[in-house]
Each structure stands twice: as C-alpha cells, then as structure tokens.
Amino acid sequence: MASVEITEEKFEFTAKTKKNLFIFIAVGLLMAIVGVIMMNTGGHGDASHGVAADGGHHAFHWTKRLFANLWINNVFFAGISVIGVFFVAIQYASQAGWSVGVKRIAMSFGSWLPIAGVLILVSFLVFGHDIFHWTHHDLYAKFLEDGSVNPKYDSIIDGKKAYFFWPMTDHPSIPVFFLARMVIFFGVWYWLFRKLRGLAVSEDLEGGTARWFEMRKWSAIFLLFFAVSSSVSAWDWIMSIDTHWFSTMFGWYVFASWWVSGLALITLIAVLLKDKGYLSIVNQNHIHDLGKFMFAFSIFWTYVWFSQFLLIYYAHIPEETIYFVERWKSDQYAPVFYMNLFLNFFLPFLVLMTRDAKRHARFIKVIAPIIILGHWFDFYLMVTPGTLKEHGGYGLLELGVMFVYAGAFTYVILNSLSKVPLFGKNHPMLKESLHHHI
C-alpha cells in the first residue's frame, strides 16, 4: 500500500466565522425578546400572563416559560458537552484506531463544561423554585404551627427529601445533597477532560506510546464515573421535575438522547471541516462509521423510549401513566410527542438505511441537524409539561433561546478546536486509521 505523507492541520477560527456566530446569537436574542413581547401583548401564551392558573398554588407568569427554556438548553448542551469527552474516553478504553481523525472534534465539546456548570448552578439558585416543585418547603410539614393539618403536605415528596436535602432533612431548606452532586459532577467531568486534553497535547509533542497508555487509564476512570453520574444527573436535573413520577430506565433514556445528539454533531462538524479542506486523513470510511453510529443509536434511543413507554402502559399504575397522559393526550404537547418519534426514529432510520447514505456528506448534512433538533425537542418534552403544565408553548421565545445557546456553544467548541491540531500526528494508531476500510 502506498505511503501517505501526514502534515499537521490546525483549524483557523476566522473573523468571518466569529462574526457570523455573533450575528446568529444576536438574531436568537432578538427573537427571544420579540417572543416575550408577543406573549405580553396578546401573542402566543398571553392568556396565562399574571394569573393564578393552577388552583392558586402557583401563579403563571411569562418568566416561567423563559426559565423552562433556559433549563432545557442548559441541560441539553451540558449533556452534549460531556458526551464529547465520553466519546474520546470510549475510543481510548476500547483501543479503537479508526477514530483518530475525529477525536479532537469530540474533545472540543468538553470546553463548554465549566460554562454549563456555572449556568446550571446559577439557574438553579435563581429560578430553581419555578422549575422544581420539590423545592417548596411547605410540602414537608405534616402540621402547621397552630397544630392543624397542613393541606399542602406531600407524603411522596416528603419520602424523597433525604435524596435532595441530606443531611439537613428535618427542616428542608437548602438542598445540600442535590447541589453537592451537581458541583461534584461538573468538577470531576471537567478535571478529567483537562487531564485527557493535556495528555493528548503532550503526545503531540513527545510521541511514543506512554501518553496513550496514560489516556487509556484516565479514560477508564472517566467511564466509571460517567456511568454513575450521567444517570444521577438525569434523575436530578430532569426526572425530579415530575417528582411523583419514577422510571428506572430514565437515566438510560437521557443518556441515549445526549449520546446520539453528540454523535450527530461530531459527524456534522467532520463533514463541514472536510468541505473547508481540513481533515485530510478522514475519508468516506470514517464518515460511514459515524453514520452507522447515528443510525444504530437512533434505534437504541427508540428501543429505550419504547421499553419505558410499554412497561408503564401495561403496568397501568396511575402515578406512572400520568407522565405519558400529560404528553400523549394533551392538545398542547401531543404534536411534539409524535414529532419526537418521527424526527428521532423514523426519519434517521429511513434516510440512513442504505450504505451510500452513511458515506456521503450531502445525506449527513441533512440528517445530522435533524437528529440534533429532534433530540432538543425530546428534552423540551421532558421538561416543559412538568414545569409549565398547560401553559407550555412553542414560538419565537423557544427558538430564540435555542439559537443563543447553539451559537454560544458553537463559538466555544470552535475556539477550543482552533487551539490544538485537528488530529494527533504522533497518535500510535494513526496508521491504522489511515488504512481503515469498510
């Protein structure tokens, strides 16, 4: 086989690209502002403005819809960020050689982690009360100060208070255990990301296999920690919104949604970089593998979705089925419920079924953004019904906030990608990747 000359490539984050991203973010911000104005001047969602809408327990205000949207995007982009590090760790732990050319793309996602951590922590402290029903302290006292029975007492949530407030469980105030988990997860994820990224840079300079073996060790540690933290974070940040509801499959479900979104974004960036003349070591065989991942894990997501749905449907336990009744039988959310399945299963399954579709950039450029958007709607469906009930909607506010987050996330990862070579020229499996053929 003919030898291939390898030259180091570095992505140039041009002023034009930065300007386009700033325009994209500004457009998103403008759309969000117009969306809020429309809600307050008779547009979509105005009927619920400033009135006690759910039996007087919580008064609905347009800010709650803004808070719900901020939380959806916080969790969605935080998940894609940590999935990038997960992708890199999987490649090292499994000693995969084919992915040398795309690992730096996934690695760049981790640069969003500190921003995501701060956004989620600040968001919870500022408006967590509007997102999480369990933060209301009056739910935990059986009796009022005058000795009468507290009508707001919730025995189910009271039974879960240790999970949120431990060790301060007698008089729940600050959710110490919940906040500690949040800080630890982001702290460890980011620390391990920095470790892996530092070793990759050292490998570029030093060569040899010592750094590769070190990365294998740290990748295994990351995977062990991620196995627990990804599920617990899904319970904390999403499932606890519907505090009465519980699913043993929910951690896997959220992971599947994050994972396939991250795979679609890695693939999309790879084909776009190739269009710009980068990633000469990536060919149709590597794109084919990424396409197979998108295809396979779209089916995996559907499998987990259907398994969770079917178990609850046949068990027919009222406190479990209500979760799907609120989404499936609601005029407000039913269209999104069906669109979720169409965008995340039927469309990827049909488009990516053939070998050619997985290998050619034009198919990837169509289906990858659809998959990412589809799973954003998946998170919308996980968060909005529990936080906004019948006041949820979809319009300029939702689209605008998503644009702002997407633009900021893209800016951070492209900036990170421009700091290091696009692939490791001293990676011990570079030759295997160059000769990869399927």
Side-chain angles (χ1 to χ4, degrees):
M1 186 172 290
S3 62
V4 180
E5 185 178 348
I6 300 301
T7 56
E8 190 172 270
E9 294 180 14
K10 207 162 182 178
F11 170 67
E12 184 184 359
F13 194 15
T14 63
K16 183 182 177 183
T17 307
K18 292 177 183 177
K19 181 183 173 184
N20 289 338
L21 282 172
F22 282 128
I23 292 173
F24 186 75
I25 293 170
V27 169
L29 195 58
L30 184 63
M31 291 168 69
I33 292 171
V34 172
V36 170
I37 293 172
M38 288 177 66
M39 288 175 62
N40 286 278
T41 56
H44 187 70
D46 63 302
S48 57
H49 172 64
V51 298
D54 54 355
H57 190 66
H58 304 291
F60 181 79
H61 192 269
W62 66 266
T63 52
K64 291 189 176 183
R65 190 161 147 184
L66 174 64
F67 296 156
N69 276 284
L70 292 173
W71 193 256
I72 291 167
N73 287 284
N74 280 341
V75 175
F76 180 66
F77 287 100
I80 294 181
S81 181
V82 72
I83 280 296
V85 188
F86 174 76
F87 179 89
V88 174
I90 282 281
Q91 305 309 311
Y92 279 100
S94 62
Q95 304 181 48
W98 70 274
S99 55
V100 173
V102 296
K103 276 194 290 196
R104 294 285 167 90
I105 297 173
M107 182 79 86
S108 69
F109 294 1
S111 297
W112 180 258
L113 278 174
I115 300 171
V118 171
L119 285 174
I120 285 190
L121 182 61
V122 171
S123 296
F124 179 81
L125 295 175
V126 173
F127 56 79
H129 212 52
D130 291 304
I131 301 292
F132 298 98
H133 182 60
W134 57 263
T135 59
H136 293 254
H137 305 151
D138 52 0
L139 300 170
Y140 297 92
K142 288 183 180 179
F143 302 101
L144 299 176
E145 291 182 357
D146 60 3
S148 60
V149 175
N150 179 8
K152 295 179 181 176
Y153 175 70
D154 191 314
S155 59
I156 295 176
I157 296 179
D158 187 43
K160 296 180 179 181
K161 67 183 177 184
Y163 182 73
F164 301 119
F165 294 95
W166 180 85
M168 302 167 64
T169 55
D170 290 337
H171 303 285
S173 55
I174 301 173
V176 177
F177 197 25
F178 179 88
L179 289 172
R181 288 196 296 269
M182 185 185 290
V183 172
I184 290 171
F185 291 166
F186 276 106
V188 175
W189 289 343
Y190 185 60
W191 177 66
L192 289 171
F193 157 69
R194 295 288 301 178
K195 190 77 182 176
L196 290 171
R197 184 184 165 97
L199 288 168
V201 172
S202 299
E203 185 183 73
D204 287 347
L205 300 174
E206 301 168 9
T209 56
R211 298 303 181 191
W212 183 83
F213 280 107
E214 273 194 78
M215 292 186 77
R216 275 190 62 200
K217 179 186 71 176
W218 287 105
S219 293
I221 293 170
F222 176 86
L223 293 176
L224 286 173
F225 184 76
F226 182 80
V228 177
S229 58
S230 61
S231 283
V232 177
S233 61
W235 303 338
D236 284 0
W237 305 340
I238 306 175
M239 196 167 74
S240 74
I241 291 172
D242 297 274
T243 325
H244 284 194
W245 185 74
F246 182 79
S247 167
T248 54
M249 301 186 70
F250 196 76
W252 279 104
Y253 179 72
V254 172
F255 162 75
S257 201
W258 276 339
W259 177 227
V260 75
S261 304
L263 289 170
L265 187 57
I266 293 167
T267 313
L268 180 63
I269 293 175
V271 297
L272 292 177
L273 284 175
K274 281 199 69 65
D275 279 356
K276 295 291 183 183
Y278 296 105
L279 293 181
S280 57
I281 69 167
V282 173
N283 57 40
Q284 283 188 326
N285 297 293
H286 303 99
I287 301 299
H288 189 179
D289 270 351
L290 289 168
K292 285 191 293 187
F293 268 128
M294 284 198 296
F295 179 75
F297 283 100
S298 290
I299 296 173
F300 174 72
W301 172 86
T302 313
Y303 161 73
V304 180
W305 184 95
F306 190 65
S307 300
Q308 180 177 257
F309 176 80
L310 203 62
L311 282 172
I312 292 172
Y313 183 86
Y314 275 108
H316 199 48
I317 302 170
E319 56 266 35
E320 291 294 314
T321 55
I322 187 63
Y323 180 84
F324 286 105
V325 169
E326 285 180 343
R327 290 156 174 80
W328 188 18
K329 300 295 184 183
S330 161
D331 292 339
Q332 186 75 25
Y333 301 113
V336 184
F337 181 86
Y338 290 109
M339 183 174 67
N340 189 30
L341 289 174
F342 179 74
L343 293 180
N344 295 327
F345 172 62
F346 290 106
L347 209 55
F349 181 80
L350 294 174
V351 173
L352 292 174
M353 188 179 289
T354 65
R355 172 183 168 87
D356 284 347
K358 301 183 191 75
R359 297 175 69 86
H360 291 294
R362 60 177 179 272
F363 286 100
I364 300 297
K365 288 177 193 172
V366 171
I367 199 62
I370 290 175
I371 289 174
I372 296 167
L373 181 66
H375 284 280
W376 185 92
F377 275 110
D378 192 25
F379 278 83
Y380 171 88
L381 208 55
M382 289 184 229
V383 172
T384 309
T387 54
L388 302 182
K389 305 301 180 186
E390 70 274 21
H391 302 292
Y394 190 79
L396 287 175
L397 174 61
E398 282 71 20
L399 203 59
V401 174
M402 182 177 66
F403 274 27
V404 171
Y405 271 81
F409 180 81
T410 306
Y411 184 94
V412 169
I413 65 172
L414 290 184
N415 187 54
S416 174
L417 200 59
S418 68
K419 304 292 185 190
V420 294
L422 283 174
F423 57 85
K425 65 179 180 182
N426 290 325
H427 194 290
M429 292 190 172
L430 181 59
K431 191 174 181 181
E432 179 181 330
S433 181
L434 289 170
H435 295 166
H436 181 60
H437 179 76
I438 54 175

